[in-house]
Amino acid sequence: MFIDGTWVDTDDAYTIADPATGEIVETSAKATVDHVDAAVAAARRAFVDGAWRRTAPVARAAVFDRAAEALGARMDEISSIICRETGMAIRTAGALGVGFPMMHLSYFADLTRAYEFTRAAPINGQVLHGGYIRKEPLGVCAGITPWNFPASTAVWKSIPALATGNSVVLKVDEKTPSFALELAALLKDAGLPDGVFNVVVGDGPTIGEHLVRHDDVALISFTGSTTTGRRVMANAAERVKRVLLELGGKSPNIVLDDADLDAAVDGTVYGFVLHAGQACESGSRLLLPASIHDEFVDRLIARLDTIRIGDPQDPATDMGALMSAEQLARVRRYIDIGLAEGATLAYGGGAPEGERFARGYWMRPTVFTNVSNQMRIAQEEIFGPVLSVIRYETVDEAIAIANDSDYGLAAGVWSTDNQRAIDVAERLEAGSVWINDWHNMSQHLPFGGYKQSGLGRELGPDALDEFVQDKSITVDLSGDVSRRAYGIVLGTPAHA
Ligand code: NAD
C-alpha cells in the first residue's frame, strides 16, 4: 500500500489469481482499519499543511503531465499487469488500461490550467460592493474502485480531486491493486508531496465501509454495483458527505430498420463482448425490429464465430477470461435463469472447448433470443458476455422498452438516417447515447448515469466541479455599512 509517501506492507496478504489460469500470480498487502485511519490522517495533515492546495494550478497540471508521460513509457509492462490481474485481452488492456489513463491524465492537466478557481461576481449593481466566488477543495476525498477497469477508474477518482487541491485516499479492489500503486509511484516521482495521495488495498464491507464513514472524509467517489452504491450513499448521509456514484447498467442497443447491418452487427458484438461483457456500459440488451430480426441474429451469430477467445496476453486474442470463479458462477446462474424464464439460447452458454479452458474462468459470448423486457435477463445486470435480444414492432415501442429499466447508463441507436437516430437518442433515458457506435467514451464528454446508474459525472469539461465547493466572498469598499443596497439601517449609524 502507499500511505503518507511510503510503501506499507503487511504480514497478512491477499493472494491474486490470474483469471485465465486460476493460478496465484501475486500477493498484495491487506489493509486493516488502522491503515485506513493512517491514510486518512496523512491526507488530512497534507491538506491542512496546504502545500499542495497552495501550489499554482499550472504546477499541479505539470505533475499530471509528467505522470502521463512516465506512464506512456511503461505502456507494455503495465498493460501486461492489468491483463494478468483482470483477464482482459492485452489489446483492450493497452487501449483502455493504459491509453485511457494517459489521455485522461493529460486532459485533467488541461482542465486544471484552464479552471477558473476564482470568479468575479457583481453584487446588486453596486459599485462599492464587490464579490467573488472561490472554488475551494473539500479536504480528504475517498475514491473506491471496482476490479473491472482498475486503471481508468483510479484516474477518474483521484486526478480531478487532486487537481482542485484536495487530498485523496483511494481504496482499490483487493483483486486488482497494481495500477493504483503504480499511479502512486508515478505521481510521487512527478513531484506530488507526501500524504496527498494514498492507496489502501482492502475489502469492501470492512475497509471500504470504514473509509466511507470516516469523520475526516468529505467526499466519496465510488464506482461499483448499484447495491453497494446505495449503501455508500446511506453511510455518507450520516455526516452529509458529498457522493459521486458510477453504478451498474443494462444498456439498450436499438437497431432501426434502416441501419447499416454490417456496421450494426459489428458494433453489437463490440458492445457486449469487449472485456467479456464486464463493462458497466456494455450493450447487453439488443432491440431488433421484427422486419430484420432473423437476418440480424443470423449475421450476429456468424460474426461471433470469428471471435478469438484465449490467452489474454496474446495480441491475437479478442476476448479473455471472466474475472473470478464468483463472476463465472454468476454468469452461469443467469444463463440458467434465462432458460427457466423461457428465453431461447441461440449461441454460447458455456466455456469454449479445449484443454486450455479446463482451468481459469471462461465463457463464450452468449446470445438469448425471444427475450421479453420483463425477464430478469433483460432487467438485471449480468456483467458477462451475455446478450438479451428483444423484438419490437414500432420505434415508439423500442423507446418504451429501452427506457423501461431501473438503469440509465448508456444506450445506442443504429440508423442510416441521422435525424431519425438523433430523434431516438434524445428520447432515451441514459447518460451516454452512441449513434452508430458503442463504448465511444471520450475524455471530452461527461460520463455517468441516469436513474439508478449513478449520481454526478466523470470526465467532460465540468469534471473538476464535482470536487470543489463554492465560497462567496464579499468586500464592502464604501466604508459605510449603512448604505448597503437593502437600505436597512438599524439604530443610529456611526456615520450619520
Ligand atoms: P462492488 O460494488 O461489489 O465493489 C466495488 C467496490 O466497492 C470495491 O472496491 C469493493 O471493495 C467496494 N465495496 C464493497 N462494499 C462496500 C461497502 N459497503 N462500502 C464501501 N465500499 C464497498 O462492484 P464490483 O463487483 O467490484 O464491480 C462491478 C460493478 O461495478 C458492476 O455493477 C458495474 O456495472 C459497476 N461499474 C460501474 C462503472 C460506471 O462507471 N458506472 C464502471 C465500472 C463498473
Side-chain angles (χ1 to χ4, degrees):
M1 292 182 284
F2 187 76
I3 298 173
D4 206 8
T6 50
W7 298 101
V8 174
D9 207 351
T10 54
D11 292 334
D12 198 11
Y14 288 114
T15 52
I16 295 169
D18 179 342
T21 61
E23 278 166 20
I24 307 298
V25 286
E26 293 169 19
T27 60
S28 144
K30 189 176 194 173
T32 62
V33 293
D34 292 342
H35 292 111
V36 175
D37 291 346
V40 174
R44 180 73 202 159
R45 265 195 314 276
F47 184 74
V48 172
D49 163 60
W52 174 248
R53 74 185 143 93
R54 282 194 290 270
T55 298
V58 282
R60 295 205 288 254
V63 169
F64 307 145
D65 277 335
R66 283 195 290 274
E69 201 182 332
L71 176 61
R74 296 178 54 209
M75 179 145 192
D76 290 347
E77 181 198 346
I78 293 180
S79 359
S80 175
I81 295 171
I82 290 172
C83 174
R84 186 177 71 211
E85 282 183 359
T86 63
M88 184 188 292
I90 188 83
R91 278 181 286 132
T92 312
L96 305 184
V98 182
F100 261 33
M102 266 173 63
M103 285 193 305
H104 299 168
L105 272 160
S106 302
Y107 178 71
F108 289 135
D110 290 342
L111 288 189
T112 311
R113 277 184 285 266
Y115 200 66
E116 284 184 84
F117 283 92
T118 52
R119 299 169 196 196
I123 303 176
N124 296 338
Q126 293 287 301
V127 177
L128 293 179
H129 295 107
Y132 68 103
I133 305 159
R134 200 169 124 88
K135 302 280 175 184
E136 295 198 341
L138 289 109
V140 180
C141 295
I144 298 182
T145 53
W147 46 261
N148 62 335
F149 287 108
S152 304
T153 51
V155 168
W156 300 357
K157 307 285 143 201
S158 310
I159 306 303
L162 297 175
T164 40
N166 297 281
S167 300
V168 171
V169 177
L170 184 64
K171 187 212 81 71
V172 294
D173 190 285
E174 68 274 28
K175 295 181 282 304
T176 52
S178 293
F179 181 87
L181 297 170
E182 295 288 354
L183 182 64
L186 292 168
L187 289 170
K188 183 179 169 82
D189 289 350
L192 191 73
D194 290 349
V196 175
F197 181 61
N198 307 271
V199 181
V200 294
V201 184
D203 71 358
T206 315
I207 300 305
E209 188 124 350
H210 186 72
L211 177 62
V212 169
R213 299 181 67 183
H214 199 294
D215 287 357
D216 282 337
V217 167
L219 171 153
I220 302 109
S221 177
F222 169 84
T223 295
S225 61
T226 296
T227 309
T228 311
R230 263 187 221 112
R231 175 133 193 106
V232 167
M233 197 170 175
N235 282 332
E238 286 172 4
R239 292 180 70 88
V240 198
K241 296 175 183 176
R242 200 184 286 186
V243 286
L244 255 153
L245 304 172
E246 301 292 354
L247 309 176
K250 193 75 193 179
S251 300
N253 178 16
I254 306 177
V255 179
L256 299 185
D257 57 11
D258 61 359
D260 171 338
L261 293 195
D262 286 337
V265 166
D266 269 1
T268 299
V269 170
Y270 182 56
F272 89 99
V273 168
L274 186 84
H275 195 12
Q278 300 167 116
C280 47
E281 33 69 87
S282 254
S284 51
R285 281 190 295 156
L286 175 64
L287 277 55
L288 293 178
S291 58
I292 59 166
H293 176 279
D294 293 355
E295 182 189 355
F296 196 96
V297 170
D298 288 347
R299 287 192 190 211
L300 179 66
I301 286 172
R303 183 73 174 74
L304 287 173
D305 274 337
T306 70
I307 298 296
R308 290 157 302 200
I309 307 172
D311 179 3
Q313 301 279 356
D314 181 345
T317 293
D318 294 314
M319 187 177 120
L322 294 187
M323 178 67 203
S324 59
E326 295 76 47
Q327 198 57 29
L328 178 59
R330 176 190 170 95
V331 172
R332 284 193 182 138
R333 202 163 55 243
Y334 272 105
I335 291 174
D336 290 343
I337 290 170
L339 290 170
E341 287 178 312
T344 307
L345 183 62
Y347 193 83
E353 296 199 345
E355 178 68 11
R356 167 130 216 14
F357 304 106
R359 301 171 310 141
Y361 317 117
W362 301 94
M363 176 58 66
R364 293 168 66 205
T366 296
V367 178
F368 274 113
T369 53
N370 293 318
V371 176
S372 86
N373 200 48
Q374 277 63 51
M375 292 181 183
R376 287 181 64 190
I377 57 165
Q379 288 292 331
E380 297 175 18
E381 184 176 50
I382 300 174
F383 225 51
V386 182
L387 183 68
S388 296
V389 184
I390 302 169
R391 192 188 291 258
Y392 72 83
E393 298 291 339
T394 66
V395 173
D396 282 346
E397 186 194 356
I399 292 169
I401 294 170
N403 289 340
D404 179 13
S405 170
D406 286 342
Y407 293 115
L409 192 54
V413 188
W414 297 85
S415 171
T416 49
D417 180 337
N418 288 335
Q419 190 54 56
R420 196 168 172 230
I422 285 169
D423 289 344
V424 173
E426 292 188 354
R427 291 171 64 192
L428 293 172
E429 296 166 358
S432 296
V433 184
W434 296 303
I435 294 175
N436 295 332
D437 207 347
W438 205 275
H439 297 301
N440 192 2
M441 292 176 61
S442 158
Q443 63 269 30
H444 298 281
L445 295 170
F447 178 70
Y450 276 32
K451 301 191 276 189
Q452 292 185 42
S453 286
L455 267 184
R457 293 292 179 268
E458 292 181 302
L459 302 176
D462 303 323
L464 303 194
D465 289 347
E466 305 275 2
F467 295 89
V468 292
Q469 51 195 341
D470 287 0
K471 178 180 278 178
S472 302
I473 298 181
T474 64
V475 186
D476 187 337
L477 302 173
S478 71
D480 181 359
V481 178
S482 67
R483 287 210 198 123
R484 64 175 67 254
Y486 308 118
I488 302 169
V489 180
L490 303 180
T492 308
H495 283 79

